[in-house]
Amino acid sequence: MRYHHEIIESDPELPVFYIFHNERKDSGVLAHWHKSLEISYTMSGKISEFTIGGIVHETNAGDILVINSNEVHSIWDEHNQTKALSLIFPYAFIKSEIPDYDNKSFRLTNRLAYSDLQREKLAELRGLLDRYFVVMESDGAEKARLLLKGMLYQILFLLDTHFSVPKTDQNRGSSSLPLISAITEHIDENLEKDLALDQLAVAFHLSYTHLCRLFKKETGSTIHSYIVEQRLNQAVKLLMFTDKNIRYIVDACGFPNQKSFSAAFKNKYGLTPKRYRDENKA
């Protein structure tokens, strides 16, 4: 599986992570979840399989999906030239602006049941996302901070006012997710360390077998695959946004040696770390 994501972290003043996906080959994202609220907007092309909470969606240009807090989601795209935009709002920000957020979900999938007003507001939402992309790509967060902030609040207002539904027991997520979230948080905060699975099991008072089975059941991925995925994600950030050498990145991301790092990186991205940096770093 090969990926090509252009990842842009916004100005600290903006309450969102902005990610522009420009897929050039078959690509995908392993099953994962987070407490943040994520909006995915397919700008051109199509995404073959966008799975949210076990439901598979195929998106086309103009489609918008919302991933609510703790919804397990994954992506597989076998089409070339797919362009998509993701906006990820941290949970703390959403909670501060929408105090009853824990009791609702945002849904944009049942379009046949939309009212005329909802169709109008969906078109307005598309327009805001298109404009947000143009402003970010042309002016950037620093020059257009106030304009971008205004658009983000308009986006949230439209979601909350026109596309929110009460959260039911069925869409609150698995009872095991708090434990899995604690495990993934521990992994994410200790990527540079030796994350032996038997030690992880002891740390969370689980048997080795139960840890592996539970993680696979809840995420669809093995815990080993998750660790490698997160280490590679961290490596990409260091390659793109710092001048740290490869040896430093190997150690900082917890790979045992440069050979294993290069093999894992090339398997995912189709390029060596050095070539990836040379071709993608501005």
Side-chain angles (χ1 to χ4, degrees):
M1 186 180 297
R2 296 180 177 180
Y3 303 43
H4 184 90
H5 288 178
E6 181 183 358
I7 302 175
I8 305 170
E9 293 194 16
S10 67
D11 185 281
E13 291 297 316
L14 291 177
V16 69
F17 289 99
Y18 162 78
I19 308 174
F20 175 52
H21 310 264
N22 187 12
E23 307 298 351
R24 300 171 187 170
K25 300 178 180 178
D26 290 357
S27 60
V29 177
L30 293 175
H32 66 289
W33 72 97
H34 41 67
K35 290 192 72 175
S36 304
L37 173 71
E38 181 174 348
I39 299 172
S40 175
Y41 175 43
T42 303
M43 302 176 67
S44 65
K46 64 193 305 182
I47 298 175
S48 310
E49 298 179 16
F50 200 129
T51 305
I52 305 173
I55 300 175
V56 180
H57 307 272
E58 180 182 82
T59 71
N60 295 288
D63 285 345
I64 304 170
L65 294 176
V66 176
I67 301 96
N68 294 279
S69 294
N70 292 334
E71 287 188 324
V72 177
H73 53 289
S74 62
I75 300 171
W76 171 247
D77 179 23
E78 60 185 17
H79 299 94
N80 294 326
Q81 303 303 320
T82 300
K83 294 183 179 180
L85 169 68
S86 294
L87 295 178
I88 304 175
F89 296 84
Y91 173 79
F93 171 75
I94 293 293
K95 184 68 174 174
S96 68
E97 299 300 328
I98 307 176
D100 61 342
Y101 172 66
D102 290 335
N103 298 317
K104 63 177 65 175
S105 296
F106 302 124
R107 300 293 177 200
L108 284 89
T109 51
N110 190 19
R111 295 180 188 172
L112 294 177
Y114 280 178
S115 65
D116 290 341
L117 178 60
Q118 283 180 310
R119 293 189 182 93
E120 176 186 328
K121 296 304 177 182
L122 181 61
E124 186 176 339
L125 185 58
R126 286 194 192 100
L128 282 167
L129 292 169
D130 283 329
R131 190 180 180 201
Y132 193 94
F133 169 75
V134 170
V135 173
M136 278 295 293
E137 294 298 309
S138 59
D139 297 329
E142 185 173 354
K143 290 184 179 180
R145 184 183 298 112
L146 290 178
L147 176 60
L148 291 167
K149 271 190 173 182
M151 285 190 280
L152 292 172
Y153 277 101
Q154 289 180 67
I155 289 168
L156 288 180
F157 176 78
L158 288 174
L159 287 178
D160 192 36
T161 305
H162 300 286
F163 300 100
S164 65
V165 297
K167 185 171 286 187
T168 64
D169 290 339
Q170 285 72 30
N171 60 26
R172 287 182 187 273
S174 166
S175 60
S176 298
L177 280 181
L179 173 59
I180 299 297
S181 294
I183 293 170
T184 56
E185 183 176 343
H186 175 82
I187 291 170
D188 295 346
E189 292 177 353
N190 294 278
L191 291 174
E192 77 284 2
K193 299 178 181 177
D194 178 18
L195 293 170
L197 299 191
D198 55 347
Q199 295 177 13
L200 272 178
V202 170
F204 287 93
H205 309 289
L206 301 170
S207 71
Y208 174 89
T209 301
H210 185 51
L211 169 66
C212 294
R213 286 179 178 173
L214 181 65
F215 198 94
K216 175 72 173 178
K217 175 185 175 184
E218 294 294 345
T219 70
S221 169
T222 67
I223 192 167
H224 173 73
S225 295
Y226 178 83
I227 292 171
V228 173
E229 180 83 1
Q230 294 304 96
R231 283 174 167 162
L232 289 172
N233 288 341
Q234 180 65 15
V236 166
K237 292 179 182 178
L238 292 172
L239 285 168
M240 295 293 290
F241 303 118
T242 77
D243 293 319
K244 300 295 186 182
N245 61 42
I246 300 298
R247 180 69 259 175
Y248 174 91
I249 294 173
V250 168
D251 293 337
C253 297
F255 288 94
N257 52 62
Q258 190 166 330
K259 182 178 180 180
S260 65
F261 168 57
S262 295
F265 195 95
K266 189 170 184 180
N267 183 58
K268 177 177 178 179
Y269 294 100
L271 300 170
T272 65
K274 182 180 184 304
R275 186 175 174 188
Y276 185 95
R277 170 182 267 173
D278 291 342
E279 291 190 6
N280 292 281
K281 189 171 182 179

